[in-house]
Amino acid sequence: ACSSKYVLSALHPMWQGPLVAPGGNRQSPIDIRVRKSVFDPHLKPLTPDYDPGTCSQIWNNGYSFLVEYDDTTDKSILKGGPLEDNFRLCQFHFHWGESNAWGSEHTVDRRLFPAELHMVHWNSNKYRRFEEAVMEENGLAVIGVFLKIGKRHEGLQKLVDALPAVRHKDSVVEFTRFDPACLLPANIDDYWTYAGSLTTPPLTEAVTWIIMKQHIEVSHDQLAVFRSLLFTSAEEEVQKSMVNNFRVQQPLRGRTVRSSFT
Ligand SMILES: CC#CCNS(=O)(=O)c1cc(S(N)(=O)=O)ccc1C(=O)O
Ligand SMILES: [Zn+2]
């Protein structure tokens, strides 16, 4: 798994503040200005190929909950799109607000969504393990999918039902046979892509971001369960609801956002 070894203490909600990597000129998240994005006809369709058998656990790391995948083989991989290499799925997680009015990290022409899914992959052609890739320029590829409030997401419910077991920071529960492909929108051919960074410490500028144009829908009640999670561990006297775990938007610094569609 990719991040289970990190107790990123800097992940306290304070990191939403002015934390910018020193000299960072490709930081994430950003606002995607649709009319400023450049259609790139050479962008290929994205070809994710995930094996639900590699799903291993859910972990509350004190800032989100991570669904972690065994990334010791190339069983769950992402290829195509803007990617030249093979990228291995290591985890997915979400960012959300305390209200449905905000919660996403990226925005589209300043439009906020109630939540955003991130599927984190690392370059297994160039690096031997996640820890190496996370420090390298083309080390990671993260798929971003916006969530909107609407009909209940049947595939998500299995995950929602497991969340009470990881209510507190540092809690882990076994979680198997979850197919992350069920969280992708019907159309994955239309996306924006740009060079960015992790949105949590260490904020390394290692990420090729692939943001889906089409959102997925989840019910109000499903998202309410995300908000029942806690930033704090069981021992702490004051419990803090896990909400608003998104980073503030970062300057584009002259970067181009490419689109796979016109
Ligand atoms: C060293 C190191 C590291 C980062 N790990 S991560 O890439 O899984 C990750 C990525 C992101 S994001 N929002 O940049 O995709 C958020 C959170 C995490 C995490 O560990 O919890
Ligand atoms: Zn994220």
Side-chain angles (χ1 to χ4, degrees), residues 100-104 106-108 111-115 146-148 215:
N100 292 337
W102 64 81
S104 61
H106 292 87
T107 49
V108 180
R111 177 182 177 192
L112 285 155
F113 293 83
F146 295 116
L147 274 63
K148 273 182 73 177
H215 62 268

Side-chain angles (χ1 to χ4, degrees), residues 63 93 95 105 118 199:
Y63 116 94
H93 62 273
H95 304 263
E105 296 210 303
H118 288 159
T199 67

Side-chain angles (χ1 to χ4, degrees), residues 210-255:
I210 300 165
I211 308 289
M212 291 294 143
K213 179 186 174 197
Q214 192 175 60
H215 62 268
I216 60 170
E217 281 191 15
V218 302
S219 71
H220 176 90
D221 291 352
Q222 287 179 314
L223 200 51
V225 179
F226 285 22
R227 301 188 184 110
S228 72
L229 296 175
L230 300 168
F231 279 129
T232 42
S233 58
E235 302 72 48
E236 294 176 66
E237 315 73 59
V238 181
Q239 300 294 330
K240 295 191 192 78
S241 292
M242 184 179 276
V243 292
N244 302 329
N245 56 355
F246 51 83
R247 190 190 189 194
V248 294
Q249 303 213 319
Q250 302 296 310
L252 196 54
R253 290 270 189 279
R255 285 173 283 177

Side-chain angles (χ1 to χ4, degrees), residues 2-3 6 8 61 63 66 91 93 95 105 118 120 130 134 140 142 198-200 202 209:
C2 58
S3 61
Y6 299 101
L8 296 170
N61 71 353
Y63 116 94
L66 312 181
Q91 59 102 323
H93 62 273
H95 304 263
E105 296 210 303
H118 288 159
V120 181
F130 170 80
V134 78
L140 303 181
V142 182
L198 293 175
T199 67
T200 63
W209 280 95

Side-chain angles (χ1 to χ4, degrees), residues 132-146:
E132 286 173 44
V134 78
M135 304 312 284
E136 301 296 333
E137 185 157 343
N138 62 353
L140 303 181
V142 182
I143 294 176
V145 182
F146 295 116

Side-chain angles (χ1 to χ4, degrees), residues 17-238:
L19 254 185
V20 172
N25 55 18
R26 50 172 281 191
Q27 289 289 295
S28 295
I30 61 167
D31 174 46
I32 296 167
R33 308 289 321 168
V34 175
R35 281 175 301 287
K36 291 240 178 77
S37 64
V38 177
F39 169 61
D40 180 348
H42 302 106
L43 284 172
K44 303 185 189 65
L46 215 49
T47 52
D49 180 9
Y50 300 136
D51 173 356
T54 58
C55 188
S56 64
Q57 63 184 25
I58 304 180
W59 177 50
N60 177 334
N61 71 353
Y63 116 94
S64 182
F65 63 90
L66 312 181
V67 178
E68 298 195 312
Y69 285 75
D70 164 36
D71 59 357
T72 54
T73 73
D74 265 347
K75 279 187 182 163
S76 289
I77 52 117
L78 176 64
K79 289 192 306 199
L83 307 173
E84 297 300 319
D85 294 316
N86 216 39
F87 285 73
R88 232 175 247 178
L89 175 68
C90 60
Q91 59 102 323
F92 70 79
H93 62 273
F94 298 81
H95 304 263
W96 61 91
E98 64 195 292
S99 99
N100 292 337
W102 64 81
S104 61
E105 296 210 303
H106 292 87
T107 49
V108 180
D109 287 340
R110 293 283 168 218
R111 177 182 177 192
L112 285 155
F113 293 83
E116 185 173 334
L117 159 66
H118 288 159
M119 299 171 75
V120 181
H121 311 73
W122 56 272
N123 188 330
S124 59
N125 285 154
K126 289 203 165 54
Y127 309 107
R128 286 200 309 281
R129 61 182 66 79
F130 170 80
E131 289 78 1
E132 286 173 44
V134 78
M135 304 312 284
E136 301 296 333
E137 185 157 343
N138 62 353
L140 303 181
V142 182
I143 294 176
V145 182
F146 295 116
L147 274 63
K148 273 182 73 177
I149 302 298
K151 63 184 187 314
R152 184 179 133 111
H153 193 297
E154 292 311 326
L156 183 71
Q157 194 55 37
K158 177 182 172 179
L159 171 52
V160 167
D161 289 339
L163 292 183
V166 289
R167 192 150 183 264
H168 288 101
K169 175 181 173 191
D170 296 335
S171 47
V172 190
V173 69
E174 186 187 54
F175 189 69
T176 56
R177 307 222 49 78
F178 185 83
D179 180 7
C182 83
L183 297 176
L184 292 171
N187 170 12
I188 60 169
D189 291 340
D190 292 356
Y191 57 82
W192 294 282
T193 182
Y194 77 97
S197 73
L198 293 175
T199 67
T200 63
L203 301 170
T204 44
E205 299 182 334
V207 182
T208 298
W209 280 95
I210 300 165
I211 308 289
M212 291 294 143
K213 179 186 174 197
Q214 192 175 60
H215 62 268
I216 60 170
E217 281 191 15
V218 302
S219 71
H220 176 90
D221 291 352
Q222 287 179 314
L223 200 51
V225 179
F226 285 22
R227 301 188 184 110
S228 72
L229 296 175
L230 300 168
F231 279 129
T232 42
S233 58
E235 302 72 48
E236 294 176 66
E237 315 73 59
V238 181

